[in-house]
């Protein structure tokens, strides 16, 4: 190793040490705990800790609530990611139009929910979704639709949570898309316009390839975020009604910090980690197929 290479390693060593301490070490500890029966009894006496192998994983596969939480999480991600990315991209395209005035004001207003406390916004949305006094039911009543028990009906609870989550997070992707749209080649856009390309044609053949890498990044981040959905269903419905909004992270929280079954909770964390890794690998492969990465 040359002197220059050793110097480079010294510069990156602090960052690598932090990454190892914050990311790699907890992952290895979770992996180790997932094959034990680590519980509240092991806190008092380590002799209560036993190696159980894959029993935590087989126990999870035989737990109906685990599959229910996995299904709810897949439903949240399958519906929420297109909603969040579609809304943020549409907002970014609207704000990118030259005819829109007060763009900084609109960007701040749309980004504000992302940096606002989940608990504070949940209180507002619980009022909006209230069955008797909520503004959403009042608006539905104006077009002849009866009141919906958004947070009390298992069939309406997931759309209600999705609406809240999409409103909460789409501002982040909107800012990312706004930055990507600013570097779209204007000469190509003008050439397409002179050739008679429609608005959709210019978006498909000029804008979309230019923002492709950003689109992949937003998709990866959004999928990972929805697969780790916890705070919103926790503060809005506490996983109810009838466990219809219990997500995989909510299930892991209950196992770990409600029932103190930390071994099985670590097994859930490991499964979630592998799930996110697999989905990210698929998204990366799709991005490379379209030459966006």
């Amino acid at each position: 190793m040359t002197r220059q290479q050793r110097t480079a390693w010294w510069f990156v060593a602090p960052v690598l040490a932090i990454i190892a301490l914050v990311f790699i070490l907890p992952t290895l500890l979770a992996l180790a705990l997932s094959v034990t029966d680590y519980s509240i009894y092991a806190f008092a006496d380590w002799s209560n800790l036993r190696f159980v192998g894959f029993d935590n994983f087989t126990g999870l596969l035989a737990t109906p609530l685990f599959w229910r939480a996995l299904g709810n999480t897949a439903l949240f991600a399958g519906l929420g990611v297109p909603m969040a990315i579609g809304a943020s991209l549409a907002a970014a395209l609207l704000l990118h139009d030259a005819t829109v005035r007060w763009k900084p004001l609109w960007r701040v207003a749309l980004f504000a929910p992302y940096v606002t406390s989940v608990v504070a916004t949940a209180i507002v949305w619980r009022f909006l979704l209230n069955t008797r006094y909520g503004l959403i039911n009042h608006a539905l009543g104006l077009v002849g639709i009866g009141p919906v028990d958004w947070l009390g009906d298992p069939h309406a609870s997931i759309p209600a949570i999705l609406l809240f989550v999409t409103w909460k997070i789409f501002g982040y992707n909107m800012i990312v898309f706004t930055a990507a749209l600013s570097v779209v080649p204007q000469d190509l856009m003008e050439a397409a316009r002179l050739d008679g390309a429609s608005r959709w044609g210019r978006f498909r053949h000029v804008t979309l390839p230019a923002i492709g890498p950003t689109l992949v990044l937003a998709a990866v981040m959004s999928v990972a975020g929805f697969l780790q959905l916890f705070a919103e269903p926790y503060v809005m419905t506490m996983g109810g009604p009838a466990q219809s909004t219990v997500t995989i992270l909510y299930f892991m929280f209950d196992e770990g910090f409600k029932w103190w079954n930390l071994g099985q909770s670590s097994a859930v964390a490991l499964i979630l980690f592998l799930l996110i890794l697999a989905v990210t690998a698929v998204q990366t492969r799709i991005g490379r197929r379209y030459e966006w990465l």
Side-chain angles (χ1 to χ4, degrees):
M1 183 180 293
T2 65
R3 180 179 180 183
Q4 188 176 11
Q5 289 174 328
R6 285 197 299 270
T7 305
W9 276 109
W10 276 112
F11 273 107
V12 300
V15 177
L16 294 177
I18 293 173
I19 291 175
L21 186 65
V22 175
F23 294 104
I24 299 178
L25 183 61
T27 304
L28 295 177
L29 287 176
L31 177 62
L33 288 180
S34 66
V35 293
T36 68
D37 64 346
Y38 191 61
S39 66
I40 193 170
Y41 300 106
F43 277 122
D45 188 353
W46 280 85
S47 62
N48 294 321
L49 183 66
R50 294 183 302 116
F51 177 77
V52 297
F54 292 101
D55 285 358
N56 287 327
F57 296 94
T58 55
L60 283 174
L61 299 181
T63 304
L65 184 56
F66 170 75
W67 291 106
R68 180 71 183 274
L70 202 60
N72 289 341
T73 304
L75 191 58
F76 274 123
L79 297 176
V81 172
M83 281 178 61
I85 292 183
S88 56
L89 183 57
L93 288 171
L94 285 174
L95 292 179
H96 187 67
D97 195 282
T99 60
V100 175
R101 303 177 63 184
W102 305 314
K103 291 181 180 179
L105 177 65
W106 287 112
R107 286 168 185 162
V108 170
L110 294 175
F111 184 70
Y114 182 75
V115 294
T116 308
S117 165
V118 174
V119 177
T121 52
I123 293 173
V124 176
W125 273 88
R126 285 180 68 88
F127 170 73
L128 293 175
L129 296 169
N130 187 278
T131 306
R132 296 182 61 185
Y133 311 108
L135 293 181
I136 294 179
N137 275 344
H138 179 71
L140 292 177
L142 296 178
V143 294
I145 300 177
V148 178
D149 188 4
W150 292 102
L151 303 178
D153 184 348
H155 299 291
S157 55
I158 285 185
I161 297 293
L162 278 176
L163 197 62
F164 173 48
V165 175
T166 302
W167 170 84
K168 182 83 173 61
I169 68 171
F170 94 101
Y172 176 80
N173 285 337
M174 181 202 69
I175 294 298
V176 174
F177 283 133
T178 299
L181 289 172
S182 65
V183 297
V184 173
Q186 291 305 308
D187 53 343
L188 291 180
M189 190 68 76
E190 189 61 28
R193 187 180 289 107
L194 291 175
D195 287 342
S198 63
R199 184 181 291 270
W200 167 249
R202 294 197 299 272
F203 172 78
R204 181 182 176 187
H205 297 292
V206 179
T207 304
L208 196 57
I211 67 171
T214 306
L215 194 61
V216 174
L217 171 67
V220 169
M221 299 294 289
S222 298
V223 168
F226 272 95
L227 290 179
Q228 298 178 79
L229 195 64
F230 168 72
E232 288 82 359
Y234 183 79
V235 298
M236 292 286 285
T237 59
M238 295 292 289
Q243 300 171 338
S244 61
T245 57
V246 172
T247 62
I248 194 68
L249 204 61
Y250 192 103
F251 177 79
M252 184 187 76
F253 175 82
D254 270 359
E255 287 294 319
F257 301 103
K258 184 176 180 180
W259 308 115
W260 292 102
N261 193 356
L262 295 170
Q264 196 162 58
S265 178
S266 299
V268 177
L270 189 63
I271 291 174
L272 181 60
F273 171 74
L274 295 176
L275 181 62
I276 293 175
L277 194 65
V279 175
T280 302
V282 171
Q283 291 174 301
T284 304
R285 191 177 182 86
I286 293 174
R288 286 176 178 167
R289 181 180 179 184
Y290 288 96
E291 298 181 351
W292 289 349
L293 292 177

